[in-house]
Structures are given as C-alpha cells and as structure tokens.
Amino acid sequence: MTDALRRRWQTQRAIARMQVKLALHYRTRAFAQGIGALLLIGLQAALWSAVYAGGDGRVRDGGLTLHQTTVYAAAGTVWVLCLPGLALARQLEAKIRDGRIVTELLLPTGFLAQWFSAALGRTLGVTALVGVPASLAGGALLYPFALDAAHAGRLVLTTVIAFVILFDFSYLIGLSAFFVRRVEGLNEVREALLLLLGGSMMPISLYPAPLRDAAVLTPFVHGFYTPLGTLVRDPFVDGRVVALGACWAVLLSAAAALCTRAALRKLVIAGG
C-alpha cells in the first residue's frame, strides 16, 4: 500500500470512528429505541403466532415456519434502526440547502467516500449500542438457530450488499437536492417501495408467486429481504437472488458516483 492510499484509508477510518463515537454519545435515545424495538418484537411475535394459528398448521412448499417468520420480523425491527435511512438523506439535503456542503468540498477526503465512511461509522455505533443489546434481549426468539461457517459467510455477504444499496438510495435522494426543490417526496416513495417490494412488511416468499418473482428483480428487495431471508434460511434466497443483489449494489454505486460528479459540476457552475 502506497503512502497516498494509506493516508486515504486512515482518513476514512477516522471519519467512521468519529461517527461511532457520536452514535455512542446519544445513549438515552438509543435506550429508548432499544426498548421500543423490544416492544415491537413482542407485538410481532404475538401477531405472527395468531396468523399461523389461524391456518391449518401446515407450511406450503417453499414457505416459512412460524419460527422463521418471527425471527425475520424481529431481526427486521433491529435492521431498520441500524442501517442507513432517511436521516442520511435529510442531513445531506440540509447541508446542500444551507451551503455547509461547500466546506465539505474543501476537505481532502473525497465527497462520496466521506459520506460512505460516515454512514458506516454510524451503523457500527448504533449496532453496538442498540442492535446487539436488542438482539441479545430478544434472543429467545432467535433460538434454536444454528449458524455454520458457510451460512455466516453468506449472511455477511448479503449484509454488505444491503448496506451498500441502502446507503446509495439515501445518498442519491439527499444529493437530488442539487436538482429538485424538495426531496421529502422521494423519501416517502423510497419508504413505500421498501415496505411493499422490499419485504419490510412481510417476507417476500409469502407473496403470491407473480408478485414475488417481480419484486426480487428490484433493488428494494436486496436492502431488506435478502439478508434477513438469508438469516432465517428462506429457501427462496438462492444464489440467483444474491447475485441480483450484488449487481444492483454495483449499479447503484456507479449511479452515485456519476450523480456526484454531475452535482458538483452544477455547484461550481452556479458559483460554489
């Protein structure tokens, strides 16, 4: 590794570390979020138990058991708290609107890389402060649940893909403040599509087959359903689904880089 690459790596690591410390600073809010997550997990467990009890007790081919669905819902509750979301888009929009973005452009860190490192640091901090304790406290829902080496590796891969996709979505929405007057509508569209097509409402494998097969072709699925489906060993999450998610992560990252160049050129043309 050259000196230049080493300095860049150290810089991005410092940005991420600062965001970790910042996330750990807001302990009261994290405690409230953790309590809320546990309450929601309990409600979801009761809801899905009632849903499954209302059926004939059998699981259709390719479907999920009550235990798998409950784990999926519980993990999804923690997932939403930890991964990049609306806050990132709103922060970026606010800095663009009030001009603070100019000071960030003067930093020798790379604009897109800087925001990615900050989002990664925040995710790590919130996961340590909220995600891990909530998962441990709600662990009764997660057991018995085996994790072998191959499954753990696949879970790490799909989690990385999901993080990149969710970051790219939030970053692109925030960056659109260079081109549109308000981005709140885009945020609402993003949340609605994640709810309907991403699997945050229920596992995609429970959808009717035509809707399920169409949804898996969209990027929204791979920011939520794919990693959580991998966690619970959903049979629908196969190699093809993971490969689609990787392709979307690459395409959205390329779009983020291209839109960054276009946005910064617009800023310079407008007089900075």
Side-chain angles (χ1 to χ4, degrees), residues 1 5 39 44 61 85 87 91-92 134 142 144-145 176 178 213 232 237 241 250 259:
M1 182 182 295
L5 289 177
L39 292 175
Q44 289 170 333
D61 293 339
Q91 289 171 4
L92 182 52
L142 300 176
F145 207 81
S176 66
F178 276 112
D213 295 337
V232 301
V237 183
V241 173
V250 172
C259 288

Side-chain angles (χ1 to χ4, degrees), residues 123-192:
T123 294
L124 293 175
V126 175
T127 300
L129 195 60
V130 183
V132 173
S135 298
L136 293 176
L141 298 174
L142 300 176
Y143 295 102
F145 207 81
L147 268 179
D148 54 62
H151 187 203
R154 192 183 185 92
L155 182 59
V156 170
L157 174 61
T158 54
T159 298
V160 170
I161 290 172
F163 176 85
V164 172
I165 287 175
L166 291 177
F167 166 78
D168 286 336
F169 270 133
S170 298
Y171 178 83
L172 286 169
I173 290 173
L175 198 68
S176 66
F178 276 112
F179 309 100
V180 298
R181 298 191 63 173
R182 299 289 298 176
V183 304
E184 193 61 36
L186 296 176
N187 272 330
E188 293 176 358
V189 170
R190 170 190 181 272
E191 291 302 294

